Amino acid sequence: MFSLKPPRPTFRSYLLPPAQTDDQINFEPKIKKLEPVLLPGEIVVNEVSFVRKCIATDTSQYDLWGKLICSNFRISFITDDPMPLQKFHFRNLLLGEHDVPLTCIEQIVTVNDHKRKQKVLGPNQKLKFNPTELIIYCKDFRIVRFRFDESGPESAKKVCLAIAHYSQPTDLQLLFAFEYVGKKYHNTANGINGLPSGGGGGGSSSAVGGGQGPQTPLFETYSDWDREIKRTGASGWRVCSINEGYMISTCLPEYFVVPSSLADQDLKNFSHSFVGRRMPLWCWSHANGSALVRMALIKDTLQQRKIDQRICNAVTKSHPQRSDVYKSDLDKTLPNIQDIQAAFVKLKQLCINEPFEETEDKWLSSLENTRWLEYIRTFLKHSAELVYVLESRRLSVVLQEEEGRDLSCVIASLVQVMADPYFRTITGFQSLIQKEWVMAGYQFLDRCNHLKRSEKESPLFLLFLDATWQLLEQYPAAFEFSETYLAVLYDSTRISLFGTFLFNSPHQRVKQSTEFAISKNIQLGDEKGLKFPSAWDWSLQFTAKDRTLFHNPMYIGKSTPCVQSHSVKSFKRTKKSYSSTLRGMPVPFKNGIISDQQLLPRRNSLILKIRPKPPQPAKNQNSGMEEYFQEWFSKPVDLHGILLPHLSATHIKLWKLCYFRWVPEAQINLGGFITAFHKLSLLADEVDMLSRTLRQPRASPGGPCSAERDQSRMYFQASGPHPHSTSGTPEFLSSSFPFSPVGNLCLAHS
Amino acid sequence: MNLLSGLLEMELLRIWMKLSPDFRERLGLLDSTLILDVPLGVISRIEKMGGATSRGENSYGLDITCKDMRNLRFALKQEGHSRRDMFETLMRYAFPLTHSLPIFAFANEEKFNVDGWMVYNPVEEYRRQGLPNHHWRITFINKFYELCDTYPPLLVVPYRASDEDLRRVAAFRSRNRIPVLSWIHPENKTVIMRCSQPLVGMSGKRNKDDEKYLDVIRETNRQISKLTIYDARPSVNAVANKATGGGYESEDAYPNAELFFLDIHNIHVMRESLKKVKDIVYPNVEESHWLSSLESTHWLEHIKLVLTGAIQVADRVSSGKSSVLVHCSDGWDRTAQLTSLAMLMLDSYYRSIEGFEILVQKEWISFGHKFASRIGHGDKNHADADRSPIFLQFIDCVWQMSKQFPTAFEFNERFLMTILDHLYSCRFGTFLYNCESVREKQNVTERTVSLWSLINSNKDNFKNPFYTKEINRVLYPVASMRHLELWVNYYIRWNPRIKQQQPNPVEQRYMELLALRDEYIKRLEELQLANSAKLTEPSSSPASPSQMVPHVQTHF
């Protein structure tokens, strides 16, 4: 059954008054309401009516009646019944309230009550009984349960088989993003629809805007890398284009940064010796000139020493003090990706699979046994140690890993989050993910297991987000984003629409999408592959209002006024406060060298200048490190300088919002950190509003006009037309907010 | 452990340690010479270590065990008899009761501008609850502590029960602690009652008066068919108590009541559990297996059971399902925990600073939680089996609730920690003695200062900036191991390595924003003032450049 009619914009269209359509007064009949709103390229594969979605484990009184649909993008449950017990709307624009993207499905279990049979459905399997119940286990810890008591047994079975088939594709091009983008291109050709706003793709557009704020550099172009070199003030490094057209390596980006002293020809020669031809890639430079570099192992044992020496010499030459290179062998110091996956599987089992009460007694030791927190701590610790090497010992750091595209992504990113405040802004954080994950060839396709080859699955990206959350938890005013942002970012990896999280490498996107374009007769012109939507285009997923939940009301932006400075001068500078438009923009350059003055805001913030240290003689590294950490922790934190994590076992916590949000029993109604967040938002909003009023040429006592209200960066606003504007705690707040476990978790009855 | 050298000073209240100047410099402590400030009341045990022949650095001196999760070790020089003198002085002043000396609170002459003893007035508190009403009356039967020497003079009982009835019920309740009202729901009028166990004994004795009394309580709500009894103990313990004359309400004797056991363990179990907590956090935190070590102390499990019990009590009453009677054995430990926590969940008044003080004063102090025995104020007998951290456990539960509901409490963490510090310090009279009758005899309110004087005269220090006053909101914390946490800021505060950011960065940021808001408002007012000043004399000063332009043009 194909439904190719143009999609309606939202479900809300039903509620529109029939004002302009007075010639056709017929309201849509009730049954028509149960039609899905499809995305471009989305087709309904199978559907079944009179399905009951279970809401609570112990009672069926809240169950919803509706139609269960399997499309090539998601499973969708369409119902007229309102969601019980849920009093707020935070919704993904791509998904209905009850929808699960196919790439988010972990396991499909069909049950027949009467025959007491149960089967886990794989692709292309047969089902010998008519299911009375379908349970979907999701990768994001949700469990969704449907009952077919009143539906046609054959159609129920067909839908289950369809879900099993479509959620476990064998070929990358079967993922929905291809169909979606293909449709968009066709529509463009016919002049119907505009292109998706670039990103995750084409070479022509180098940045993606989220509708507001600065654009996220994607590092697909030469200039993005060049700007990053200049932003960090690195000297001795250059952008190298030898991999244009992926001529050297298929798992490296087309452009990357290398020591200036290495000529293209040298690099070409060396490249053969590296695993995956992944030669050293520059990640970032400290203001003192120490660089962070990542590279794969040298597989050529004969040449190993020689090449290694050449690389190290080149990195040393690129250091203003010609300091030695500090090598960190990640494979030897960190748990491997299988260990991490095993920890995550245990964590998931602990959070969802067991009955809640039965896991209570041994909760703490079970949590310890998953080793998840231990691994988070190990990664944070190692990153902090490298920050010490870069900052205090002023050595360049080379991360070594067999392929250099797994553990290196986590460590390289964490080091930068700790060491450079830019990466604690939303744009900076996104650019970091582009730089160290997407472009560096983190294998999202395999690690997220979009194609169900479980042996390659590993949650390294989540591990990074979790570790970032730990830093956010410890230094809540140092980050522009909120924990909701991190959770939603994690969810975005499970929606197979964004080019950002779909591929194993940039080359794979170009290759696969070019093949797809040819097979579908899509004219690519001079574009390198299809342009997929970027995850950074948040307007695809959330309304502007909902996106304000990404903002951390505690964040102290660089130009935000601080209380201590009472002068009018500092106040005037606050014009840029909170807007963050200037952050992330490159500072102006003179011949690529930043003058001292221009550097001031950034350099000043680094601890280095504030407390100069005597040059360190060859000292026992460990005692030096201990001393460095002790000294750092004894001083007040500079939120725009280095951030080091507290690493005691009592400090590393479970990220409850992410892992408990779908568990009804764990939800604190009207409580949780969000209630303090709410108060903070109201106050931050009031401060913003006052600051805007003051900035107006003639401050009017009536406060800002309504257009100004829309500028608010806060979800919760101090006053205004919004229903939850009173100072009391809104009744829909809970520790799961903005997510709701209602209807999302239904453990199989035992 | 950190070694510091300096000069030790002692006065009646506390030990001070002043650092020798060279140490001061090395630590960068320019202003504060004070490195250690220990109230003598916090000392649990003093031991000599090493002898005259001890070799090695710091092997000779004094070991001091404290009640607040830390140990102190003072290394002394072996010359002279400095240690003997010090030991004897310390023993004398740290344990005044043992030496027939007065507790420090009686010598304390601090003055505050608020009198904390005025905070709790039982008549006023019951009036706030709408009592007396036509079902409940206030009785002065215990005015001279004749009915029950561990209860307060003023009690609230069913209107239909005569004083004579009360006396007969007292005979059947352990230590005469009869069921009395703790709290009444303002709308549905169900109540929380507290008492001790019935004296059932091995033979299964019954008492018609007690049975009738419980039924009278039930009947204050006509529509309700059962009275719910929560026995805080594990059922095994309740049964075992029969051997010593105690027991619980049987179904036969009390057909209109339903009884549930809440499985909360006794004072000895709690004491041992806290000891284990100390073992894993002091002097070093058990880093390698932190969570399983924490689990093995069972501390959080006990917290969970106490909270779970209180939630059940609160839920019964708030839903109007039934009135609740809470008891354990004597009704002064677990019972106090359950009633006060349930009241904290049900009544937002108790979540204010003053309301909480009243709650502690009422449910704990006036109803005879045996603070003297549980804490051992001024008593050197550190191994006394009566000591137990029951009140600490209650404060921990409150802290857990405040973590789950960051905006619901007027007070902050410092408030709770201050209460705990002075639970031991003996600087105030608030927590001295076991019950009101003794306090009255000792004239505590006249001869000592109340802790609430200190707190209420510095209220701003103890306020939670996120507090949102809400009336009639019932708080149900999630009593799950997934949310309960060890109170690191309290239990591990003596460990320099587990340095928490103080003040809490979220709180700090909020205060900064508040200051910023005030500054902006001030500036805005100044601006408006300036504007209106301009408006009143428009001829002398131009209001704005935009108005200037047309004015100039007309001249051409």
Side-chain angles (χ1 to χ4, degrees), chain A residues 551-732:
Chain A
H551 292 281
N552 176 2
M554 277 171 277
Y555 180 58
I556 303 176
K558 205 175 284 170
S559 50
T560 307
C562 54
V563 197
Q564 285 79 9
S565 59
H566 284 280
S567 70
V568 184
K569 240 184 174 178
S570 80
F571 174 69
K572 279 192 174 160
R573 269 189 275 129
T574 66
K575 279 196 171 177
K576 279 129 201 170
S577 70
Y578 297 133
S579 74
S580 77
T581 33
L582 283 198
R583 252 172 281 129
M585 297 287 278
V587 268
F589 315 105
K590 285 175 189 162
N591 307 324
I593 298 158
I594 307 170
S595 74
D596 261 345
Q597 211 184 354
Q598 286 160 337
L599 261 177
L600 265 174
R602 181 177 143 78
R603 301 258 162 153
N604 249 1
S605 65
L606 290 176
I607 292 157
L608 203 82
K609 277 210 171 170
I610 298 167
R611 33 185 161 106
K613 273 191 149 189
Q616 294 219 333
K619 207 183 197 179
N620 180 350
Q621 194 209 325
N622 277 331
S623 74
M625 190 158 66
E626 277 286 298
E627 229 169 71
Y628 171 77
F629 286 143
Q630 255 178 30
E631 197 193 336
W632 191 89
F633 281 111
S634 69
K635 304 259 158 106
V637 180
D638 174 8
L639 296 175
H640 296 296
I642 303 268
L643 282 191
L644 295 177
H646 293 267
L647 289 165
S648 155
T650 61
H651 286 113
I652 305 297
K653 295 178 180 163
L654 189 68
W655 183 12
K656 290 178 193 167
L657 179 73
C658 187
Y659 306 121
F660 291 162
R661 56 188 156 149
W662 310 120
V663 185
E665 295 96 325
Q667 180 174 262
I668 306 166
N669 281 316
L670 281 157
F673 173 68
I674 189 75
T675 55
F677 182 97
H678 167 252
K679 289 274 287 189
L680 270 160
S681 302
L682 296 185
L683 182 57
D685 189 53
E686 199 185 334
V687 169
D688 281 2
M689 207 158 51
L690 284 167
S691 131
R692 278 198 300 269
T693 313
L694 275 167
R695 278 204 321 269
Q696 283 171 350
R698 275 170 298 165
S700 59
C705 58
S706 60
E708 288 267 309
R709 296 288 321 145
D710 299 334
Q711 290 177 14
S712 176
R713 65 194 173 107
M714 292 297 127
Y715 186 80
F716 304 106
Q717 293 174 8
S719 60
H722 301 280
H724 39 259
S725 55
T726 49
S727 58
T729 307
E731 55 177 11
F732 55 78

Side-chain angles (χ1 to χ4, degrees), chain B residues 258-436:
Chain B
E258 47 179 0
L259 179 119
F260 301 98
F261 294 104
L262 294 176
D263 284 326
I264 302 168
H265 284 279
N266 62 26
I267 59 165
H268 312 293
V269 175
M270 301 308 179
R271 182 180 57 236
E272 294 315 307
S273 174
L274 187 67
K275 253 185 210 156
K276 286 184 194 155
V277 173
K278 184 169 177 179
D279 288 343
I280 66 164
V281 301
Y282 199 92
N284 295 307
V285 173
E286 184 63 55
E287 287 281 351
S288 57
H289 291 284
W290 168 246
L291 291 175
S292 49
S293 306
L294 182 58
E295 184 178 281
S296 67
T297 69
H298 298 289
W299 182 252
L300 292 179
E301 207 181 306
H302 296 312
I303 296 275
K304 178 186 161 167
L305 283 168
V306 173
L307 276 172
T308 307
I311 290 168
Q312 289 184 60
V313 174
D315 183 52
R316 279 276 147 178
V317 171
S318 109
S319 64
K321 277 185 205 128
S322 64
S323 284
V324 168
L325 178 73
V326 182
H327 70 71
C328 44
S329 297
D330 289 316
W332 52 40
D333 291 312
R334 288 166 277 197
T335 300
Q337 288 179 332
L338 290 168
T339 56
S340 56
L341 284 170
M343 287 157 75
L344 197 63
M345 292 170 194
L346 289 163
D347 192 337
S348 58
Y349 175 66
Y350 297 125
R351 295 172 218 143
S352 66
I353 288 180
E354 212 168 276
F356 190 77
E357 292 168 357
I358 287 172
L359 185 71
V360 169
Q361 203 72 48
K362 177 178 184 300
E363 288 303 299
W364 290 86
I365 297 168
S366 87
F367 275 98
H369 172 67
K370 301 203 295 175
F371 281 104
S373 310
R374 298 290 175 256
I375 307 302
H377 294 128
D379 177 12
K380 74 165 190 176
N381 189 6
H382 61 85
D384 191 335
D386 252 359
R387 294 202 183 173
S388 187
I390 300 301
F391 187 74
L392 163 65
Q393 196 171 46
F394 159 69
I395 295 289
D396 194 329
C397 289
V398 176
W399 178 80
Q400 303 282 353
M401 283 178 67
S402 73
K403 279 290 277 187
Q404 296 194 15
F405 300 99
T407 63
F409 295 86
E410 191 192 6
F411 47 83
N412 57 16
E413 188 176 52
R414 197 177 306 122
F415 175 76
L416 298 177
M417 287 175 47
T418 305
I419 291 176
L420 289 178
D421 283 347
H422 295 299
L423 173 66
Y424 308 116
S425 78
C426 296
R427 185 171 144 195
F428 301 102
T430 305
F431 297 115
L432 297 184
Y433 302 111
N434 282 337
C435 55
E436 293 288 59

